[in-house]
Amino acid sequence: MNEQELCRKRLLDLSRQADRKGIVLFSDFLNLNEQNIFHSLQKELYTTAKLSGGYEQAERQMVAFIPDALCYEWSYPFVCIHAVPQYPKYAEKLTHRDVLGALMHLGLDRSKIGDIVLLENDIYIFCSETISSFIMDQFTQIRHTMIRSSIIEDVSTLKVHPVFEEHDDMVASNRIDAIIARAYHLSRSEAAAYLTAEKVFINGRCITNCNQSCDNGDIVSVRQKGRFVFETDQSLSKKGKLCVRFMIYK
């Protein structure tokens, strides 16, 4: 049984158990491929389901399977760890890869960790409650930079947001291959190759059709390239090209 089929069975089983037991059950953090599988199961689920990654536009998200007639309050079983350098003056310029590498070096399961957001010297790590104490005890250094951490348990009060680079541009038509090609300076054939390789996602759904259009506000992810928010008011240039804005995640 391949990984996709295992993911499908795991999600259906969680929904079935939540319905049978009358309690809310949760998945691990899902990557884009797993979210695409989840979206494909909507007609097969036994319960309603909601996704959250702790903040708006989070990429890695957890599913809550919610049975009908639920009579108690619930919350997602994840927290946010806020890490900062102990000595900011001597801190290195850290990247997402540096932080994730340090966490993986501790032997953690990637599915227990959500998004990692870097804002200047502030690092925000969304993770399952089950591993938060371990991270607090063991996660003390990234490369040569010593860090100190605290837990933000109520993520609803957190003002985490992605940082963008904005680019105004024009595309020949509202087709995903043309949009990707323009955003990442590729040829149309190169963009099409990403689509056929199942490396393109719009709002967490895998897209393989080059003719697929984008709506204003769609989040487009391209594996090995990055992701961006697609914005357009549908206005056209004098030459008939569509005016767009790419909000590229830094």
Side-chain angles (χ1 to χ4, degrees), residues 172-173 175 177-179 181-182 186-193 195 210:
S173 61
R175 287 170 44 117
D177 59 346
I179 291 168
R182 199 63 182 169
L186 305 171
S187 67
R188 290 281 283 271
S189 60
E190 288 174 324
L195 287 154
C210 292

Side-chain angles (χ1 to χ4, degrees), residues 148-206:
R148 53 186 173 84
S149 304
S150 59
I151 290 182
I152 303 173
E153 296 189 7
D154 186 2
V155 295
S156 64
T157 64
L158 194 58
K159 303 300 181 184
V160 171
H161 57 83
V163 179
F164 300 104
E165 288 182 358
E166 299 182 20
H167 297 290
D168 292 323
D169 215 322
M170 290 178 286
V171 294
S173 61
N174 190 345
R175 287 170 44 117
I176 188 62
D177 59 346
I179 291 168
I180 291 171
R182 199 63 182 169
Y184 293 113
H185 308 291
L186 305 171
S187 67
R188 290 281 283 271
S189 60
E190 288 174 324
Y194 280 95
L195 287 154
T196 55
E198 299 184 351
K199 294 182 177 180
V200 178
F201 300 83
I202 299 179
N203 300 328
R205 296 175 186 268
C206 184

Side-chain angles (χ1 to χ4, degrees), residues 22-24 66-74:
I23 59 175
V24 183
I66 310 163
D68 295 336
L70 189 70
C71 57
Y72 67 89
E73 295 292 325
W74 61 273

Side-chain angles (χ1 to χ4, degrees), residues 54-101:
Y55 69 101
E56 189 176 358
Q57 298 181 338
E59 180 172 308
R60 297 177 63 83
Q61 300 198 49
M62 185 180 286
V63 183
F65 296 97
I66 310 163
D68 295 336
L70 189 70
C71 57
Y72 67 89
E73 295 292 325
W74 61 273
S75 60
Y76 287 92
F78 57 67
V79 298
C80 180
I81 293 177
H82 178 211
V84 294
Q86 284 193 15
Y87 310 104
K89 182 177 179 180
Y90 304 104
E92 301 162 274
K93 185 66 175 178
L94 300 172
T95 66
H96 181 281
R97 179 174 301 205
D98 295 328
V99 180
L100 180 58

